[in-house]
Amino acid sequence: MNIDIPAFLPTPEPVREVERLGDEIAVLSAHLDAATGRLLDLIREFDARGGWNTGFLSCAAWLSWRVGLDRGAARERVRVARALGTLPRLAQALARGELSYAKVRALTRVATPETEERLLAVGKAGTAGHIERVVRGWRRVDRQAEARATARRPAIRALHVYQDEDGMVVIRGRLAPEVGAVLVQALAAARETLYQRARSMDAEDGSAEPPTMAQQQADALARVAETALHHGIDPGAPGERYQVVVHVDAPVLANADPPGQSVLEDGAHVSSETAQRLACDATRVVMRHAPDGRVMEVGARTRTIPPALRRALHHRDRGCRFPGCGLPFGQGHHIRHWARGGPTTLSNLALLCRRHHRAVHEEGYEMDRQQDGELSFRRPDGRLVPEVPPPMAVPRDPVHALRAQHDAHGLPLHARTAMPGWLGERLDVGWAIDVLHPLAASTR
Ligand SMILES: [Zn+2]
Ligand SMILES: [Zn+2]
């Protein structure tokens, strides 16, 4: 049997077509990574100059509001942007489209100015999968070194909190005995509360498997943290268990302008704006004093937001109503202060987190409920803080615009710009870490 095979098989057109498609994907990805490099530069500068500090809790919160990133992604952008500030080689490789954002993100978890060069070489040689594995191994060595250092210094107190590869948060620490005792006590109290609730729920459905002690401890720690945040480290937080007595001169509550007394029970003086905030979510006892000093009124007792109304408020607002915040717990803010005749009704209340409650009372932010029931917020300079930022003008062909911009910067990007140097060999992570990590040799 004889079959004629031509010396060169021409690549069939459909195959060439998908190859071109693949190249196009690679080129555009390189452009996007290069643009991400520039984006991170801008975020780093914006963050350093506090540009987000216009009523937002953090740079990540601002990013999430302004460009629509989810919170996790926004936090990650800010983290990587900050890290790249001290890692110029990795920053440059990203800006040239030679290293993908995913690789840079992984490498910045472990890179330091000392190890940057080596890790850059790994980044260029390996695939994103290889780099994930190398970084995981690297962190293991970091943790071992840290554990050895801690063991050598038994008297030193420390708490290490870090995020594991799967996103779970790992906590390890050494506490002084008396501090440890407080923690153990708090965990036991939180466990008791949670367990009581679980028991009453079990009684209803009777199916759930009881959690292990370790799981209960984890839940208890979450409860302790939530409680601390919810009740606040400062006296401005809600909650019946912590009642702060504020003594105010009668005119102060109704109007922040006239000079007057506002004194906390322990003698600390606070501004009249602060006194108004403390009295706003009226779970505090406010004693109003007449000019001659006699107590005119014990305010809060009669202004307490009743539990049913508070539940309705939480149900309606779900979290802080300040644009872009959404923190899931907060304080009931009287839009028109009760001392100025504002009623304690759902329409005159809005949920605000502690940070934004302060913004509204003490930092000059204004808040109103409009005719249609929507809330409007204004900056101290009177400009509106929109719930959703206005859309940006985008060129009709953004891809073309991006390429033109990169061309103008003399950045030649092609289908192989970000190709790993890897030729298919098996990756020996243990060996790679031994060679690369400065502390790896001492672990053996
Ligand atoms: Zn308020
Ligand atoms: Zn808030």
Side-chain angles (χ1 to χ4, degrees), residues 276-281 331-335 337 350 352 356-358 360-361 367:
Q276 289 189 349
R277 170 167 60 85
L278 294 176
C280 186
D281 185 1
Q331 309 171 327
H333 167 66
H334 285 75
I335 297 168
H337 202 284
L352 289 176
H356 288 128
H357 202 190
R358 188 172 295 140
V360 166
H361 278 280
M367 167 183 192

Side-chain angles (χ1 to χ4, degrees), residues 174-198:
R174 295 174 62 86
L175 302 176
E178 67 279 11
V179 180
V182 172
L183 178 68
V184 168
Q185 230 173 33
L187 288 176
R191 236 178 24 241
E192 183 56 33
T193 319
L194 290 168
Y195 185 54
Q196 263 176 5
R197 193 198 292 167

Side-chain angles (χ1 to χ4, degrees), residues 310-332:
R310 191 177 289 280
R311 268 198 300 280
L313 178 64
H314 276 265
H315 180 77
R316 185 195 65 190
D317 287 357
R318 297 197 174 273
C320 176
R321 290 300 312 275
F322 199 90
C325 183
L327 221 66
F329 39 77
Q331 309 171 327

Side-chain angles (χ1 to χ4, degrees), residues 89-133:
R89 289 186 179 88
L90 286 177
Q92 210 172 44
L94 177 65
R96 287 204 199 116
E98 293 165 3
L99 222 52
S100 72
Y101 173 65
K103 286 182 175 182
V104 170
R105 212 178 65 168
L107 291 171
T108 49
R109 292 207 190 101
V110 296
T112 61
E114 293 74 44
T115 57
E116 181 188 13
E117 182 118 46
R118 264 174 270 173
L119 286 166
L120 173 62
V122 174
K124 282 188 176 173
T127 64
H130 291 151
I131 287 155
E132 271 298 329
R133 288 168 60 199

